[in-house]
Amino acid sequence: MTVYTSLPSGGPYAGAAGAIFDGEQLALAQTGGVVKGFKIVLRRLDEGGSAALTSTATAAGASARIAAGDRSTIAYIGDLTPGSSSGSIPVLSQAGILQVSPGDTADGLVGGTFARVVPPDSNEASAQLAEMGKLGVTRLYLIKDRTTYGSDIAATALIDAPSYGIDIVDPAGKYLRADNRALIRAIKKSKAQALLYAGSPSTSLPAFWNALSVSDGTIRKFASAAVAGEPSWSSTSAAARYGSYLSAPGLPRADLPRAGSQFENDFMSTYGTRAQWTTGIFGYVAMSGVLEAMYKLGPMAKDRGKVADAFMRAKNLPSPLGTYSLTAGQTSFDRYFFTTYARDGSVTTPGVD
């Protein structure tokens, strides 16, 4: 039987996609590639299209149709880029194929056979606001983009900020432009203590980060950790990165359960000391959950409908992230950690480095 995985091969999420795929392969390898006598083959599809720089719902839908057209398909792990699963969910739900996303965090994603092992964007926005509250931030400047991820984060921030004692000084928010001098002047004039970049990885963000540090080297800058996966992030200066708080779903090493520590050791020993285990863990959890559903079904594991139903009903399922349950395809796991940068540009991720 075949488990398809749909992940982007290019663009800003390519690095995360590689780590997630590694996690999936590790989970399958630990079973010997066999569950209850059934041989399982993992096949990767390109969520974003072979020549695309970013993933789209249209391309994800094309991947889903490949999986739906294969009689051997038992499950589908994907998609990754926020919002892309909107193109694959209708196809896979109609075919009765279980879909487990290891990374599509877009709010509002639902479907008959769709589930995900990551929390939605709105949870991340709340985690960012909570961290700001701990730091004493009361005035926040909002910058956004036009992606699904950016829209979700901005919407939640606007609604929830008052609950954390935070005033968004320009509720309309601003978009990054080729020339951000006027925006930087507005940020400085606002006397905001922090800014939130509600957006996906962008090649224009590093230049803005650099220019802002020249004007205001003390303002705290919040964004998704995914922005550091964009190759152009390396062009940011140490001064620009200082005060950056990059959020990601997951657990720092100190909070990992025993199974999580074992996963980290296995992942690092298999893929190298610089492997992205904090990202790869979601691919591992997704694949492990699929295999566990099949294992519990025994001889009926070849029935894709029963596999989908078994996974969707999972309660207190053990994993390297701790036990989790699914409700209407949404995971109960909702933890985040923050990567921060010191003045010399060094990175600090509590319990990870």
Side-chain angles (χ1 to χ4, degrees):
M1 292 181 289
T2 304
V3 174
Y4 280 95
T5 184
S6 177
L7 300 165
S9 61
Y13 290 96
I20 286 172
F21 186 57
D22 287 344
E24 294 168 4
Q25 292 185 104
L26 180 60
L28 183 58
Q30 288 179 346
T31 69
V34 177
V35 176
K36 290 295 184 177
F38 296 107
K39 179 175 175 57
I40 311 299
V41 177
L42 175 62
R43 291 182 178 170
R44 180 171 176 174
L45 300 172
D46 189 354
E47 173 197 308
S50 59
L53 293 179
T54 57
S55 304
T56 66
T58 300
S63 290
R65 285 189 289 275
I66 292 173
D70 185 344
R71 287 189 175 184
S72 74
T73 301
I74 194 65
Y76 176 104
I77 300 177
D79 302 284
L80 175 57
T81 305
S84 58
S85 294
S86 62
S88 53
I89 289 173
V91 177
L92 297 166
S93 290
Q94 184 175 10
I97 297 172
L98 172 64
Q99 175 178 4
V100 184
S101 173
D104 191 340
T105 56
D107 286 334
L109 290 177
V110 293
T113 60
F114 174 79
R116 55 183 165 191
V117 294
V118 289
D121 293 334
S122 53
N123 287 35
E124 182 167 19
S126 296
Q128 290 168 332
L129 291 170
E131 188 69 12
M132 293 177 202
K134 293 177 185 176
L135 295 169
V137 172
T138 57
R139 292 177 64 79
L140 174 67
Y141 206 96
L142 177 64
I143 300 172
K144 56 188 180 180
D145 69 3
R146 293 177 172 83
T147 64
T148 298
Y149 174 80
S151 298
D152 287 346
I153 294 291
T156 299
L158 287 168
I159 293 172
D160 291 355
S163 300
Y164 294 90
I166 297 172
D167 175 33
I168 297 181
V169 295
D170 184 355
K174 291 291 191 298
Y175 296 103
L176 291 182
R177 302 180 183 277
D179 185 346
N180 288 299
R181 285 176 293 185
L183 173 57
I184 291 172
R185 287 195 297 269
I187 293 172
K188 189 170 184 178
K189 185 178 179 180
S190 73
K191 299 187 184 303
Q193 300 151 308
L195 70 83
L196 170 61
Y197 172 63
S200 293
S202 168
T203 55
S204 61
L205 185 64
F208 169 70
W209 238 241
N210 285 332
L212 180 61
S213 69
V214 174
S215 174
D216 186 346
T218 62
I219 190 168
R220 292 185 168 99
K221 301 173 286 290
F222 284 78
S224 163
V227 302
E230 163 61 48
S232 61
W233 176 255
S234 62
S235 67
T236 53
S237 66
R241 296 187 187 191
Y242 172 63
S244 295
Y245 293 75
L246 306 184
S247 56
L251 295 172
R253 180 180 292 126
D255 293 343
L256 288 172
R258 180 176 298 179
S261 297
Q262 184 62 56
F263 163 78
E264 182 199 354
N265 292 335
D266 292 344
F267 193 85
M268 299 282 273
S269 63
T270 302
Y271 302 111
T273 57
R274 298 183 66 82
Q276 300 179 47
W277 69 266
T278 55
T279 301
I281 198 169
F282 288 98
Y284 185 92
V285 169
M287 176 62 84
S288 296
V290 170
L291 298 176
E292 179 66 14
M294 295 178 66
Y295 182 84
K296 289 181 176 179
L297 286 169
M300 294 185 292
K302 63 182 178 180
D303 186 322
R304 60 172 57 160
K306 292 187 182 300
V307 171
D309 186 62
F311 186 88
M312 297 292 286
R313 293 175 180 272
K315 300 296 180 186
N316 299 318
L317 190 64
S319 84
L321 293 169
T323 57
Y324 70 96
S325 299
L326 292 167
T327 302
Q330 306 302 307
T331 179
S332 59
F333 179 79
D334 62 355
R335 297 281 301 279
Y336 292 83
F337 64 89
F338 286 84
T339 297
T340 60
Y341 292 82
R343 286 188 182 276
D344 62 1
S346 60
V347 185
T348 301
T349 305
V352 174
D353 295 319

